[in-house]
Amino acid sequence: MTQLVTRNLDISVAIPTYNGATRLPKFLDALFNQVDIEQLNWEIIIVDNNSSDNTSEVISNYQKIFSAKCSLKYFMEPQQGAAYARLRAVREARGDLIAFLDDDNLPAPDWLSSAYNFGLEYPKAGVWSGQIHGAFEVKPPENFAKIHAFLAIREDGEQPHLFEPDKLRLPPGAALVVRKKAWSDNVPQKPKLSGKLPGILVQGDDYEPLLHIHYAGWEIWYNPTMHTYHQIPHWRLEKDYLLKLARGCGLCVFQLRLINAKNWEKPIIFIRTVLGNLRRILKHFIKHNNHLNDDIILLFEMEFYLGSLLSPFYSFRCFLRNINQKT
């Protein structure tokens, strides 16, 4: 009796979403209009992370539109947090490659083909990301380029190059392609950093799996031919949001540096994190004290340094909280 073998797809496009009903139509239209993909076997996976709007209805309507082009699947992930949504997407994906896109990150028409072709050209790459341009609802503040990477904007030139994971120089989780094998073989099913939750902006959830993949020996690349456009509403440039973002980006630093660290290295990482950021804070204060109150970029940098300084203590508090929950 002949056994039917199911062939893997070439690529799965995975979209974690939360209350994305108003963003998804424009995003899905951009996916529908991808070019040079006639030979690709691909699918779209949307993971709904407990939306309270009509996200499921919007997706249902688009499933009919996509039926002749590719499979559009919908899954509900009840565990809150972007990290859990990504893990669910990987479990459900049938592609050898998984292309992660956020619902506010619009891909250029050739994004998918550029993503796939780069994987063929760089077989040692376990992860690759491209250029992410800001599409701003309002004009960003002066000198915004100094901090635009914190809002998942990457414009690093026209030449491919390796990222530097050991220095925490990594691409964001949006507009990112991974080999499913690299992820499945190395990324734990229980993340230490779950991602943004209501009222909590602690970051690092997109870096955590990449560090596991890097330490397993895979390369992480920048592919300049992949272009996406990050839709940034006005409220993400307001002072309150930016300062919470800066603090959240800092609070994950120590935990990220512990990934793959040996026990004897952890006290050294603790000391370097505390003393290094204390030095940065003092230097920043001495240099910019007269302008901190009226320059949001300088204030953002100071808040990030403070969060990084506090990150070992935040990590220890989370550790104690987990112990208390288990007992």
Side-chain angles (χ1 to χ4, degrees):
M1 181 177 178
T2 303
Q3 185 175 6
L4 182 64
V5 178
T6 303
R7 179 180 177 273
N8 283 357
L9 300 178
D10 296 316
I11 190 166
S12 299
V13 179
I15 304 106
T17 189
Y18 173 72
N19 286 346
T22 59
R23 299 183 298 274
L24 281 166
K26 188 175 182 179
F27 172 81
L28 290 170
D29 288 344
L31 275 185
F32 188 84
N33 292 314
Q34 292 291 294
V35 299
D36 300 326
I37 57 171
E38 292 78 12
Q39 303 305 314
L40 285 185
N41 292 313
W42 64 297
E43 65 178 353
I44 300 172
I45 294 171
I46 297 182
V47 180
D48 185 345
N49 204 193
N50 293 318
S51 296
S52 57
D53 62 4
N54 63 327
T55 288
S56 60
E57 181 181 341
V58 170
I59 295 169
S60 178
N61 292 333
Y62 271 88
Q63 284 176 323
K64 303 166 189 173
I65 297 172
F66 272 89
S67 60
K69 185 177 287 280
C70 72
S71 173
L72 171 56
K73 300 175 182 176
Y74 171 83
F75 300 95
M76 172 65 76
E77 174 49 53
Q79 183 73 51
Q80 199 72 47
Y84 294 105
R86 294 190 195 102
L87 285 165
R88 177 66 181 274
V90 172
R91 290 197 300 271
E92 303 293 349
R94 295 192 297 130
D96 293 327
L97 306 180
I98 304 173
F100 286 103
L101 284 166
D102 284 354
D103 58 20
D104 60 357
N105 206 297
L106 302 181
D110 63 347
W111 187 84
L112 192 57
S113 61
S114 296
Y116 180 75
N117 290 333
F118 190 87
L120 296 178
E121 188 175 355
Y122 292 84
K124 294 182 180 179
V127 181
W128 54 100
S129 179
Q131 301 200 52
I132 306 175
H133 310 286
F136 301 98
E137 184 180 9
V138 296
K139 184 179 179 180
E142 190 176 352
N143 294 325
F144 178 74
K146 291 179 68 177
I147 67 165
H148 70 190
F150 290 90
L151 279 86
I153 296 173
R154 292 290 193 280
E155 296 170 324
D156 295 339
E158 302 302 324
Q159 296 299 319
H161 61 76
L162 285 164
F163 283 95
E164 299 176 290
D166 294 329
K167 298 179 181 179
L168 296 186
R169 293 175 183 169
L170 288 162
L176 183 81
V177 185
V178 303
R179 295 190 193 274
K180 182 170 182 178
K181 176 176 175 55
W183 182 297
S184 299
D185 289 353
N186 301 294
V187 178
Q189 288 297 304
K190 178 66 175 175
K192 289 188 169 24
L193 296 160
S194 62
K196 296 184 290 291
L197 298 170
I200 303 174
L201 278 178
V202 176
Q203 308 290 296
D205 56 291
D206 47 357
Y207 283 11
E208 183 179 350
L210 304 190
L211 288 170
H212 287 293
I213 292 170
H214 162 67
Y215 289 129
W218 290 94
E219 296 174 346
I220 301 179
W221 279 87
Y222 169 74
N223 171 19
T225 66
M226 293 162 53
H227 294 267
T228 55
Y229 299 86
H230 190 189
Q231 312 298 295
I232 299 180
H234 67 90
W235 56 267
R236 294 193 70 183
L237 296 177
E238 293 174 357
K239 180 178 178 179
D240 286 349
Y241 177 84
L242 286 175
L243 295 185
K244 288 178 182 176
L245 175 65
R247 178 66 65 96
C249 289
L251 287 175
C252 68
V253 165
F254 180 70
Q255 188 65 62
L256 290 174
R257 287 177 174 161
L258 288 186
I259 293 175
N260 206 50
K262 299 177 176 62
N263 285 333
W264 65 267
E265 295 176 306
K266 294 177 181 179
I268 299 173
I269 295 171
F270 174 86
I271 293 169
R272 291 181 63 183
T273 301
V274 172
L275 294 183
N277 283 289
L278 186 59
R279 177 178 174 274
R280 293 161 86 186
I281 289 168
L282 292 173
K283 183 178 178 181
H284 196 69
F285 182 80
I286 292 169
K287 185 176 181 180
H288 302 294
N289 180 38
N290 293 334
H291 301 286
L292 279 176
N293 290 329
D294 53 20
D295 190 319
I296 185 59
I297 304 302
L298 294 177
L299 201 55
F300 183 102
E301 291 174 322
M302 176 64 87
E303 198 68 20
F304 173 68
Y305 300 151
L306 286 167
S308 300
L309 172 66
L310 295 172
S311 64
F313 308 101
Y314 177 80
S315 178
F316 184 63
R317 190 181 76 173
C318 292
F319 174 74
L320 291 179
R321 185 175 59 201
N322 290 335
I323 290 178
N324 291 333
Q325 288 175 348
K326 291 178 181 179
T327 57

